[in-house]
Amino acid sequence: MLHRSTLVVVFVLALAGCRSQPSVDTSASETAAAHSTQTVHDDLGRSVRLPRSPQRIVPLAPSVTELIAAAGGLDRLAARTPYCNAPEAALALRPISTYPLDREALLAVEADLVIGTDQVNDPSVGDDLAPLGIPAFYLSFETLADVPRALRAVGDLLGTRDAAEAAAERFEARLGAAVPAGPDAPRVLLLIGDDILYGFGRASYVHDLVARAGGRSITADLDGEGVTLSSEWVLTQAPEIIVVLAGTDYGVGDLRAAQPAWAEVPAVQDEAVCGLDPDLIVRPGPRLAEGMGALATCFGTG
């Protein structure tokens, strides 16, 4: 069972749309070129002026670290967040606090660009960094299609388009090979923890991931991106499979100990309870394809 403090950190990192690719502001292109900069618009619609080829990039979320590396920018990373655990090569980098953001450390590593995501980072951070001369670019993820879009966007920013396009195409191929769930697919409850019952609302991409793995998420119609459920609600919904993002060692015995009232829930009765690595589900990046495969194995469809 995960400790409550750990669950909170994971849930914050989880609150992880259809937005356009960063576009060059043609009205300022000549001036930007003269100063070796470009003006782009990020996923929040912010106009961001940054180097044409940034060399000292600091990600503000673990998922962003993975995206930058996959898009061919691993050698451009100047630091990482304390929560990063992939790719392994990034772990040798200096960790910089993001809660709160250590501005002095950003200056110390001579960051010329930070990249965050509004699922994790407060958008106001970008404005706070402006006086320091450090541009901030924000990504946002509402659907699975935002992952390959973000890979391509990062490739455009860094000038690593070939590597980014290859990574995007691999991700799309993995997801495209999945067979969407049918009307008889098992009813699935996906939880971030078993104490405070954090789940995912309609605004999350997680339901698409569940469907592509062969299940039907029972929280897909609840408002919001993240939701807190009651034990009674779960009893009335009677999920057939329960997935808890508490690590692969988690099993039905752990859930029975945490929620003894769920003894009659079909998933508990049938011991259809799976524990998964949360990073494969809550970090919107290339590893979501691996997460889909893990879910399919849990559902017996992969």
mmCIF file of all heavy atoms in Angstrom, residues 94-146:
data_model
loop_
_atom_site.group_PDB
_atom_site.id
_atom_site.type_symbol
_atom_site.label_atom_id
_atom_site.label_comp_id
_atom_site.label_asym_id
_atom_site.label_seq_id
_atom_site.Cartn_x
_atom_site.Cartn_y
_atom_site.Cartn_z
ATOM 1 N N ARG A 94 22.109 17.212 -12.824
ATOM 2 C CA ARG A 94 21.786 17.880 -11.561
ATOM 3 C C ARG A 94 20.274 17.984 -11.383
ATOM 4 O O ARG A 94 19.568 18.461 -12.263
ATOM 5 C CB ARG A 94 22.400 19.276 -11.557
ATOM 6 C CG ARG A 94 21.980 20.142 -10.365
ATOM 7 C CD ARG A 94 22.621 21.500 -10.418
ATOM 8 N NE ARG A 94 22.167 22.373 -9.340
ATOM 9 C CZ ARG A 94 22.652 23.582 -9.095
ATOM 10 N NH1 ARG A 94 23.612 24.061 -9.865
ATOM 11 N NH2 ARG A 94 22.181 24.308 -8.113
ATOM 12 N N PRO A 95 19.739 17.537 -10.230
ATOM 13 C CA PRO A 95 18.304 17.722 -9.978
ATOM 14 C C PRO A 95 18.028 19.143 -9.498
ATOM 15 O O PRO A 95 18.753 19.679 -8.664
ATOM 16 C CB PRO A 95 18.005 16.697 -8.885
ATOM 17 C CG PRO A 95 19.302 16.531 -8.159
ATOM 18 C CD PRO A 95 20.391 16.730 -9.185
ATOM 19 N N ILE A 96 16.981 19.739 -10.038
ATOM 20 C CA ILE A 96 16.585 21.090 -9.654
ATOM 21 C C ILE A 96 15.155 21.054 -9.126
ATOM 22 O O ILE A 96 14.257 20.494 -9.770
ATOM 23 C CB ILE A 96 16.685 22.063 -10.843
ATOM 24 C CG1 ILE A 96 18.151 22.321 -11.179
ATOM 25 C CG2 ILE A 96 15.975 23.378 -10.552
ATOM 26 C CD1 ILE A 96 18.346 23.306 -12.324
ATOM 27 N N SER A 97 14.948 21.628 -7.966
ATOM 28 C CA SER A 97 13.619 21.633 -7.361
ATOM 29 C C SER A 97 12.619 22.360 -8.251
ATOM 30 O O SER A 97 12.902 23.434 -8.786
ATOM 31 C CB SER A 97 13.669 22.308 -5.992
ATOM 32 O OG SER A 97 12.356 22.493 -5.471
ATOM 33 N N THR A 98 11.446 21.752 -8.400
ATOM 34 C CA THR A 98 10.362 22.390 -9.147
ATOM 35 C C THR A 98 9.194 22.760 -8.251
ATOM 36 O O THR A 98 8.271 23.433 -8.688
ATOM 37 C CB THR A 98 9.864 21.464 -10.267
ATOM 38 O OG1 THR A 98 9.543 20.176 -9.724
ATOM 39 C CG2 THR A 98 10.946 21.283 -11.326
ATOM 40 N N TYR A 99 9.230 22.320 -6.993
ATOM 41 C CA TYR A 99 8.160 22.622 -6.014
ATOM 42 C C TYR A 99 8.788 23.054 -4.700
ATOM 43 O O TYR A 99 9.002 22.217 -3.813
ATOM 44 C CB TYR A 99 7.258 21.398 -5.781
ATOM 45 C CG TYR A 99 6.616 20.860 -7.007
ATOM 46 C CD1 TYR A 99 7.087 19.695 -7.603
ATOM 47 C CD2 TYR A 99 5.539 21.517 -7.600
ATOM 48 C CE1 TYR A 99 6.505 19.194 -8.741
ATOM 49 C CE2 TYR A 99 4.959 21.014 -8.740
ATOM 50 C CZ TYR A 99 5.437 19.854 -9.301
ATOM 51 O OH TYR A 99 4.867 19.351 -10.442
ATOM 52 N N PRO A 100 9.112 24.341 -4.514
ATOM 53 C CA PRO A 100 8.980 25.421 -5.491
ATOM 54 C C PRO A 100 10.140 25.396 -6.476
ATOM 55 O O PRO A 100 11.154 24.732 -6.243
ATOM 56 C CB PRO A 100 9.027 26.672 -4.616
ATOM 57 C CG PRO A 100 9.931 26.265 -3.481
ATOM 58 C CD PRO A 100 9.609 24.811 -3.213
ATOM 59 N N LEU A 101 9.998 26.162 -7.533
ATOM 60 C CA LEU A 101 11.039 26.203 -8.549
ATOM 61 C C LEU A 101 12.255 26.951 -8.028
ATOM 62 O O LEU A 101 12.152 28.065 -7.517
ATOM 63 C CB LEU A 101 10.504 26.890 -9.808
ATOM 64 C CG LEU A 101 11.469 26.969 -10.986
ATOM 65 C CD1 LEU A 101 11.878 25.577 -11.443
ATOM 66 C CD2 LEU A 101 10.849 27.748 -12.129
ATOM 67 N N ASP A 102 13.419 26.320 -8.159
ATOM 68 C CA ASP A 102 14.675 26.907 -7.711
ATOM 69 C C ASP A 102 15.235 27.788 -8.840
ATOM 70 O O ASP A 102 15.966 27.317 -9.718
ATOM 71 C CB ASP A 102 15.666 25.799 -7.348
ATOM 72 C CG ASP A 102 16.924 26.340 -6.678
ATOM 73 O OD1 ASP A 102 17.203 27.541 -6.826
ATOM 74 O OD2 ASP A 102 17.626 25.539 -6.031
ATOM 75 N N ARG A 103 14.912 29.056 -8.792
ATOM 76 C CA ARG A 103 15.336 29.970 -9.853
ATOM 77 C C ARG A 103 16.856 30.163 -9.866
ATOM 78 O O ARG A 103 17.464 30.305 -10.926
ATOM 79 C CB ARG A 103 14.610 31.306 -9.701
ATOM 80 C CG ARG A 103 13.117 31.207 -9.990
ATOM 81 C CD ARG A 103 12.357 32.426 -9.496
ATOM 82 N NE ARG A 103 10.955 32.361 -9.846
ATOM 83 C CZ ARG A 103 10.048 31.606 -9.208
ATOM 84 N NH1 ARG A 103 10.440 30.867 -8.168
ATOM 85 N NH2 ARG A 103 8.792 31.589 -9.596
ATOM 86 N N GLU A 104 17.459 30.192 -8.685
ATOM 87 C CA GLU A 104 18.913 30.361 -8.617
ATOM 88 C C GLU A 104 19.622 29.200 -9.307
ATOM 89 O O GLU A 104 20.651 29.379 -9.972
ATOM 90 C CB GLU A 104 19.362 30.486 -7.169
ATOM 91 C CG GLU A 104 18.919 31.771 -6.495
ATOM 92 C CD GLU A 104 19.485 31.916 -5.098
ATOM 93 O OE1 GLU A 104 20.229 31.000 -4.673
ATOM 94 O OE2 GLU A 104 19.184 32.922 -4.441
ATOM 95 N N ALA A 105 19.075 27.999 -9.145
ATOM 96 C CA ALA A 105 19.679 26.835 -9.796
ATOM 97 C C ALA A 105 19.551 26.930 -11.310
ATOM 98 O O ALA A 105 20.464 26.522 -12.047
ATOM 99 C CB ALA A 105 19.032 25.556 -9.286
ATOM 100 N N LEU A 106 18.435 27.448 -11.790
ATOM 101 C CA LEU A 106 18.274 27.627 -13.234
ATOM 102 C C LEU A 106 19.346 28.564 -13.792
ATOM 103 O O LEU A 106 19.913 28.321 -14.855
ATOM 104 C CB LEU A 106 16.891 28.192 -13.546
ATOM 105 C CG LEU A 106 15.690 27.259 -13.390
ATOM 106 C CD1 LEU A 106 14.410 28.011 -13.711
ATOM 107 C CD2 LEU A 106 15.826 26.038 -14.284
ATOM 108 N N LEU A 107 19.616 29.622 -13.045
ATOM 109 C CA LEU A 107 20.662 30.551 -13.474
ATOM 110 C C LEU A 107 22.036 29.887 -13.396
ATOM 111 O O LEU A 107 22.893 30.094 -14.268
ATOM 112 C CB LEU A 107 20.638 31.801 -12.596
ATOM 113 C CG LEU A 107 19.422 32.720 -12.774
ATOM 114 C CD1 LEU A 107 19.424 33.804 -11.702
ATOM 115 C CD2 LEU A 107 19.413 33.343 -14.167
ATOM 116 N N ALA A 108 22.243 29.063 -12.381
ATOM 117 C CA ALA A 108 23.538 28.411 -12.200
ATOM 118 C C ALA A 108 23.867 27.453 -13.342
ATOM 119 O O ALA A 108 25.035 27.317 -13.735
ATOM 120 C CB ALA A 108 23.580 27.674 -10.866
ATOM 121 N N VAL A 109 22.841 26.776 -13.874
ATOM 122 C CA VAL A 109 23.088 25.843 -14.982
ATOM 123 C C VAL A 109 22.976 26.534 -16.338
ATOM 124 O O VAL A 109 23.071 25.888 -17.374
ATOM 125 C CB VAL A 109 22.130 24.629 -14.928
ATOM 126 C CG1 VAL A 109 22.311 23.858 -13.635
ATOM 127 C CG2 VAL A 109 20.679 25.064 -15.117
ATOM 128 N N GLU A 110 22.775 27.856 -16.302
ATOM 129 C CA GLU A 110 22.718 28.675 -17.511
ATOM 130 C C GLU A 110 21.635 28.196 -18.469
ATOM 131 O O GLU A 110 21.847 28.064 -19.685
ATOM 132 C CB GLU A 110 24.073 28.707 -18.207
ATOM 133 C CG GLU A 110 25.182 29.274 -17.335
ATOM 134 C CD GLU A 110 26.532 29.294 -18.029
ATOM 135 O OE1 GLU A 110 26.772 28.428 -18.898
ATOM 136 O OE2 GLU A 110 27.341 30.182 -17.706
ATOM 137 N N ALA A 111 20.441 27.934 -17.920
ATOM 138 C CA ALA A 111 19.325 27.486 -18.745
ATOM 139 C C ALA A 111 18.950 28.540 -19.778
ATOM 140 O O ALA A 111 18.818 29.726 -19.450
ATOM 141 C CB ALA A 111 18.121 27.176 -17.857
ATOM 142 N N ASP A 112 18.818 28.124 -21.026
ATOM 143 C CA ASP A 112 18.336 29.061 -22.036
ATOM 144 C C ASP A 112 16.916 28.727 -22.482
ATOM 145 O O ASP A 112 16.349 29.397 -23.349
ATOM 146 C CB ASP A 112 19.277 29.140 -23.238
ATOM 147 C CG ASP A 112 19.498 27.807 -23.930
ATOM 148 O OD1 ASP A 112 18.827 26.821 -23.579
ATOM 149 O OD2 ASP A 112 20.343 27.749 -24.844
ATOM 150 N N LEU A 113 16.313 27.693 -21.863
ATOM 151 C CA LEU A 113 14.915 27.349 -22.109
ATOM 152 C C LEU A 113 14.451 26.375 -21.034
ATOM 153 O O LEU A 113 15.190 25.456 -20.670
ATOM 154 C CB LEU A 113 14.752 26.688 -23.494
ATOM 155 C CG LEU A 113 13.356 26.151 -23.840
ATOM 156 C CD1 LEU A 113 12.338 27.276 -23.928
ATOM 157 C CD2 LEU A 113 13.399 25.359 -25.145
ATOM 158 N N VAL A 114 13.262 26.584 -20.500
ATOM 159 C CA VAL A 114 12.628 25.586 -19.657
ATOM 160 C C VAL A 114 11.353 25.141 -20.358
ATOM 161 O O VAL A 114 10.687 25.940 -21.029
ATOM 162 C CB VAL A 114 12.317 26.101 -18.232
ATOM 163 C CG1 VAL A 114 13.572 26.542 -17.519
ATOM 164 C CG2 VAL A 114 11.300 27.229 -18.257
ATOM 165 N N ILE A 115 11.048 23.871 -20.221
ATOM 166 C CA ILE A 115 9.835 23.313 -20.822
ATOM 167 C C ILE A 115 9.034 22.649 -19.715
ATOM 168 O O ILE A 115 9.543 21.785 -18.992
ATOM 169 C CB ILE A 115 10.150 22.304 -21.935
ATOM 170 C CG1 ILE A 115 10.999 22.957 -23.030
ATOM 171 C CG2 ILE A 115 8.861 21.748 -22.531
ATOM 172 C CD1 ILE A 115 11.375 22.021 -24.176
ATOM 173 N N GLY A 116 7.777 23.061 -19.575
ATOM 174 C CA GLY A 116 6.901 22.492 -18.557
ATOM 175 C C GLY A 116 5.609 21.998 -19.167
ATOM 176 O O GLY A 116 5.421 22.016 -20.394
ATOM 177 N N THR A 117 4.714 21.548 -18.317
ATOM 178 C CA THR A 117 3.389 21.120 -18.730
ATOM 179 C C THR A 117 2.380 21.635 -17.729
ATOM 180 O O THR A 117 2.628 21.588 -16.514
ATOM 181 C CB THR A 117 3.281 19.584 -18.846
ATOM 182 O OG1 THR A 117 1.907 19.204 -18.959
ATOM 183 C CG2 THR A 117 3.884 18.889 -17.648
ATOM 184 N N ASP A 118 1.257 22.132 -18.218
ATOM 185 C CA ASP A 118 0.289 22.719 -17.302
ATOM 186 C C ASP A 118 -0.416 21.668 -16.452
ATOM 187 O O ASP A 118 -1.125 22.007 -15.516
ATOM 188 C CB ASP A 118 -0.733 23.587 -18.041
ATOM 189 C CG ASP A 118 -1.596 22.807 -19.023
ATOM 190 O OD1 ASP A 118 -1.216 21.686 -19.408
ATOM 191 O OD2 ASP A 118 -2.660 23.335 -19.418
ATOM 192 N N GLN A 119 -0.230 20.375 -16.750
ATOM 193 C CA GLN A 119 -0.758 19.335 -15.872
ATOM 194 C C GLN A 119 0.033 19.253 -14.570
ATOM 195 O O GLN A 119 -0.456 18.742 -13.572
ATOM 196 C CB GLN A 119 -0.724 17.966 -16.566
ATOM 197 C CG GLN A 119 -1.933 17.661 -17.432
ATOM 198 C CD GLN A 119 -1.858 18.327 -18.784
ATOM 199 O OE1 GLN A 119 -0.799 18.784 -19.215
ATOM 200 N NE2 GLN A 119 -2.974 18.391 -19.490
ATOM 201 N N VAL A 120 1.259 19.775 -14.582
ATOM 202 C CA VAL A 120 2.131 19.685 -13.415
ATOM 203 C C VAL A 120 2.574 21.056 -12.928
ATOM 204 O O VAL A 120 2.617 21.311 -11.725
ATOM 205 C CB VAL A 120 3.368 18.807 -13.740
ATOM 206 C CG1 VAL A 120 4.354 18.811 -12.575
ATOM 207 C CG2 VAL A 120 2.947 17.386 -14.071
ATOM 208 N N ASN A 121 2.893 21.941 -13.853
ATOM 209 C CA ASN A 121 3.500 23.222 -13.503
ATOM 210 C C ASN A 121 2.513 24.369 -13.612
ATOM 211 O O ASN A 121 1.738 24.436 -14.570
ATOM 212 C CB ASN A 121 4.691 23.496 -14.414
ATOM 213 C CG ASN A 121 5.640 22.322 -14.510
ATOM 214 O OD1 ASN A 121 5.764 21.705 -15.571
ATOM 215 N ND2 ASN A 121 6.289 21.990 -13.423
ATOM 216 N N ASP A 122 2.552 25.266 -12.658
ATOM 217 C CA ASP A 122 1.721 26.457 -12.683
ATOM 218 C C ASP A 122 2.145 27.333 -13.858
ATOM 219 O O ASP A 122 3.324 27.692 -13.976
ATOM 220 C CB ASP A 122 1.878 27.232 -11.372
ATOM 221 C CG ASP A 122 0.879 28.369 -11.230
ATOM 222 O OD1 ASP A 122 0.480 28.942 -12.263
ATOM 223 O OD2 ASP A 122 0.516 28.681 -10.083
ATOM 224 N N PRO A 123 1.230 27.693 -14.743
ATOM 225 C CA PRO A 123 1.598 28.526 -15.889
ATOM 226 C C PRO A 123 2.221 29.868 -15.513
ATOM 227 O O PRO A 123 2.960 30.452 -16.311
ATOM 228 C CB PRO A 123 0.264 28.731 -16.617
ATOM 229 C CG PRO A 123 -0.543 27.518 -16.258
ATOM 230 C CD PRO A 123 -0.169 27.223 -14.834
ATOM 231 N N SER A 124 1.945 30.344 -14.303
ATOM 232 C CA SER A 124 2.507 31.633 -13.892
ATOM 233 C C SER A 124 4.033 31.575 -13.752
ATOM 234 O O SER A 124 4.700 32.611 -13.766
ATOM 235 C CB SER A 124 1.895 32.093 -12.570
ATOM 236 O OG SER A 124 2.272 31.236 -11.505
ATOM 237 N N VAL A 125 4.579 30.364 -13.625
ATOM 238 C CA VAL A 125 6.028 30.228 -13.507
ATOM 239 C C VAL A 125 6.722 30.807 -14.738
ATOM 240 O O VAL A 125 7.782 31.435 -14.644
ATOM 241 C CB VAL A 125 6.417 28.751 -13.316
ATOM 242 C CG1 VAL A 125 7.927 28.565 -13.459
ATOM 243 C CG2 VAL A 125 5.963 28.257 -11.949
ATOM 244 N N GLY A 126 6.102 30.611 -15.894
ATOM 245 C CA GLY A 126 6.688 31.141 -17.110
ATOM 246 C C GLY A 126 6.837 32.646 -17.067
ATOM 247 O O GLY A 126 7.863 33.202 -17.493
ATOM 248 N N ASP A 127 5.825 33.325 -16.545
ATOM 249 C CA ASP A 127 5.899 34.781 -16.431
ATOM 250 C C ASP A 127 6.936 35.203 -15.394
ATOM 251 O O ASP A 127 7.620 36.214 -15.565
ATOM 252 C CB ASP A 127 4.525 35.339 -16.067
ATOM 253 C CG ASP A 127 3.484 35.047 -17.140
ATOM 254 O OD1 ASP A 127 3.859 34.990 -18.325
ATOM 255 O OD2 ASP A 127 2.304 34.867 -16.786
ATOM 256 N N ASP A 128 7.058 34.417 -14.324
ATOM 257 C CA ASP A 128 8.021 34.749 -13.269
ATOM 258 C C ASP A 128 9.463 34.662 -13.768
ATOM 259 O O ASP A 128 10.350 35.360 -13.248
ATOM 260 C CB ASP A 128 7.841 33.821 -12.069
ATOM 261 C CG ASP A 128 6.506 34.025 -11.363
ATOM 262 O OD1 ASP A 128 5.888 35.092 -11.582
ATOM 263 O OD2 ASP A 128 6.085 33.129 -10.622
ATOM 264 N N LEU A 129 9.692 33.791 -14.757
ATOM 265 C CA LEU A 129 11.059 33.607 -15.256
ATOM 266 C C LEU A 129 11.460 34.665 -16.282
ATOM 267 O O LEU A 129 12.650 34.822 -16.577
ATOM 268 C CB LEU A 129 11.203 32.216 -15.877
ATOM 269 C CG LEU A 129 11.139 31.038 -14.911
ATOM 270 C CD1 LEU A 129 11.229 29.726 -15.675
ATOM 271 C CD2 LEU A 129 12.235 31.122 -13.863
ATOM 272 N N ALA A 130 10.488 35.377 -16.805
ATOM 273 C CA ALA A 130 10.785 36.364 -17.845
ATOM 274 C C ALA A 130 11.826 37.394 -17.411
ATOM 275 O O ALA A 130 12.751 37.700 -18.176
ATOM 276 C CB ALA A 130 9.495 37.049 -18.290
ATOM 277 N N PRO A 131 11.740 37.941 -16.172
ATOM 278 C CA PRO A 131 12.760 38.921 -15.766
ATOM 279 C C PRO A 131 14.173 38.341 -15.693
ATOM 280 O O PRO A 131 15.155 39.085 -15.740
ATOM 281 C CB PRO A 131 12.277 39.369 -14.375
ATOM 282 C CG PRO A 131 10.818 39.081 -14.365
ATOM 283 C CD PRO A 131 10.668 37.839 -15.166
ATOM 284 N N LEU A 132 14.275 37.012 -15.592
ATOM 285 C CA LEU A 132 15.589 36.369 -15.541
ATOM 286 C C LEU A 132 16.135 36.096 -16.934
ATOM 287 O O LEU A 132 17.269 35.620 -17.083
ATOM 288 C CB LEU A 132 15.499 35.049 -14.769
ATOM 289 C CG LEU A 132 15.005 35.128 -13.319
ATOM 290 C CD1 LEU A 132 14.978 33.731 -12.701
ATOM 291 C CD2 LEU A 132 15.886 36.058 -12.503
ATOM 292 N N GLY A 133 15.315 36.372 -17.944
ATOM 293 C CA GLY A 133 15.753 36.123 -19.308
ATOM 294 C C GLY A 133 15.701 34.656 -19.699
ATOM 295 O O GLY A 133 16.371 34.241 -20.643
ATOM 296 N N ILE A 134 14.903 33.870 -18.979
ATOM 297 C CA ILE A 134 14.783 32.439 -19.279
ATOM 298 C C ILE A 134 13.396 32.181 -19.851
ATOM 299 O O ILE A 134 12.390 32.291 -19.145
ATOM 300 C CB ILE A 134 14.990 31.573 -18.015
ATOM 301 C CG1 ILE A 134 16.356 31.860 -17.398
ATOM 302 C CG2 ILE A 134 14.858 30.088 -18.363
ATOM 303 C CD1 ILE A 134 16.584 31.133 -16.074
ATOM 304 N N PRO A 135 13.282 31.862 -21.132
ATOM 305 C CA PRO A 135 11.969 31.600 -21.726
ATOM 306 C C PRO A 135 11.395 30.271 -21.237
ATOM 307 O O PRO A 135 12.139 29.314 -20.976
ATOM 308 C CB PRO A 135 12.251 31.568 -23.223
ATOM 309 C CG PRO A 135 13.694 31.178 -23.326
ATOM 310 C CD PRO A 135 14.379 31.758 -22.120
ATOM 311 N N ALA A 136 10.081 30.216 -21.115
ATOM 312 C CA ALA A 136 9.391 29.006 -20.671
ATOM 313 C C ALA A 136 8.345 28.606 -21.711
ATOM 314 O O ALA A 136 7.503 29.419 -22.099
ATOM 315 C CB ALA A 136 8.732 29.227 -19.319
ATOM 316 N N PHE A 137 8.414 27.372 -22.159
ATOM 317 C CA PHE A 137 7.483 26.828 -23.146
ATOM 318 C C PHE A 137 6.645 25.747 -22.468
ATOM 319 O O PHE A 137 7.186 24.868 -21.793
ATOM 320 C CB PHE A 137 8.265 26.240 -24.326
ATOM 321 C CG PHE A 137 7.415 25.773 -25.471
ATOM 322 C CD1 PHE A 137 7.137 26.617 -26.532
ATOM 323 C CD2 PHE A 137 6.889 24.489 -25.492
ATOM 324 C CE1 PHE A 137 6.349 26.186 -27.601
ATOM 325 C CE2 PHE A 137 6.110 24.052 -26.545
ATOM 326 C CZ PHE A 137 5.835 24.904 -27.607
ATOM 327 N N TYR A 138 5.322 25.820 -22.650
ATOM 328 C CA TYR A 138 4.421 24.874 -21.985
ATOM 329 C C TYR A 138 3.779 23.912 -22.981
ATOM 330 O O TYR A 138 3.288 24.313 -24.035
ATOM 331 C CB TYR A 138 3.315 25.618 -21.239
ATOM 332 C CG TYR A 138 3.733 26.076 -19.865
ATOM 333 C CD1 TYR A 138 4.497 27.228 -19.698
ATOM 334 C CD2 TYR A 138 3.396 25.342 -18.731
ATOM 335 C CE1 TYR A 138 4.905 27.643 -18.439
ATOM 336 C CE2 TYR A 138 3.789 25.754 -17.470
ATOM 337 C CZ TYR A 138 4.547 26.900 -17.330
ATOM 338 O OH TYR A 138 4.952 27.303 -16.093
ATOM 339 N N LEU A 139 3.770 22.645 -22.596
ATOM 340 C CA LEU A 139 3.039 21.606 -23.302
ATOM 341 C C LEU A 139 1.786 21.258 -22.504
ATOM 342 O O LEU A 139 1.728 21.478 -21.295
ATOM 343 C CB LEU A 139 3.905 20.353 -23.459
ATOM 344 C CG LEU A 139 5.206 20.505 -24.254
ATOM 345 C CD1 LEU A 139 6.087 19.273 -24.045
ATOM 346 C CD2 LEU A 139 4.904 20.704 -25.732
ATOM 347 N N SER A 140 0.783 20.709 -23.196
ATOM 348 C CA SER A 140 -0.425 20.276 -22.499
ATOM 349 C C SER A 140 -0.913 18.987 -23.135
ATOM 350 O O SER A 140 -0.766 18.781 -24.343
ATOM 351 C CB SER A 140 -1.516 21.349 -22.583
ATOM 352 O OG SER A 140 -2.612 21.019 -21.758
ATOM 353 N N PHE A 141 -1.478 18.112 -22.319
ATOM 354 C CA PHE A 141 -1.886 16.785 -22.791
ATOM 355 C C PHE A 141 -3.318 16.493 -22.353
ATOM 356 O O PHE A 141 -3.593 16.362 -21.167
ATOM 357 C CB PHE A 141 -0.944 15.709 -22.237
ATOM 358 C CG PHE A 141 0.488 15.922 -22.611
ATOM 359 C CD1 PHE A 141 1.315 16.712 -21.818
ATOM 360 C CD2 PHE A 141 1.009 15.368 -23.764
ATOM 361 C CE1 PHE A 141 2.638 16.935 -22.162
ATOM 362 C CE2 PHE A 141 2.338 15.585 -24.128
ATOM 363 C CZ PHE A 141 3.148 16.367 -23.321
ATOM 364 N N GLU A 142 -4.193 16.387 -23.323
ATOM 365 C CA GLU A 142 -5.583 16.032 -23.046
ATOM 366 C C GLU A 142 -5.972 14.712 -23.696
ATOM 367 O O GLU A 142 -6.901 14.044 -23.250
ATOM 368 C CB GLU A 142 -6.515 17.149 -23.523
ATOM 369 C CG GLU A 142 -6.327 18.463 -22.761
ATOM 370 C CD GLU A 142 -7.223 19.562 -23.277
ATOM 371 O OE1 GLU A 142 -8.026 19.286 -24.202
ATOM 372 O OE2 GLU A 142 -7.115 20.696 -22.781
ATOM 373 N N THR A 143 -5.280 14.351 -24.779
ATOM 374 C CA THR A 143 -5.553 13.104 -25.483
ATOM 375 C C THR A 143 -4.236 12.401 -25.777
ATOM 376 O O THR A 143 -3.157 12.998 -25.700
ATOM 377 C CB THR A 143 -6.281 13.360 -26.820
ATOM 378 O OG1 THR A 143 -5.372 13.968 -27.745
ATOM 379 C CG2 THR A 143 -7.491 14.276 -26.617
ATOM 380 N N LEU A 144 -4.320 11.133 -26.148
ATOM 381 C CA LEU A 144 -3.113 10.395 -26.499
ATOM 382 C C LEU A 144 -2.442 10.982 -27.736
ATOM 383 O O LEU A 144 -1.216 10.913 -27.884
ATOM 384 C CB LEU A 144 -3.454 8.925 -26.739
ATOM 385 C CG LEU A 144 -3.919 8.131 -25.516
ATOM 386 C CD1 LEU A 144 -4.237 6.694 -25.909
ATOM 387 C CD2 LEU A 144 -2.871 8.164 -24.420
ATOM 388 N N ALA A 145 -3.233 11.597 -28.615
ATOM 389 C CA ALA A 145 -2.665 12.210 -29.812
ATOM 390 C C ALA A 145 -1.747 13.378 -29.472
ATOM 391 O O ALA A 145 -0.918 13.783 -30.298
ATOM 392 C CB ALA A 145 -3.787 12.676 -30.739
ATOM 393 N N ASP A 146 -1.872 13.921 -28.264
ATOM 394 C CA ASP A 146 -1.011 15.026 -27.869
ATOM 395 C C ASP A 146 0.430 14.574 -27.639
ATOM 396 O O ASP A 146 1.341 15.415 -27.643
ATOM 397 C CB ASP A 146 -1.541 15.691 -26.594
ATOM 398 C CG ASP A 146 -2.735 16.572 -26.871
ATOM 399 O OD1 ASP A 146 -2.760 17.215 -27.935
ATOM 400 O OD2 ASP A 146 -3.653 16.618 -26.036
#
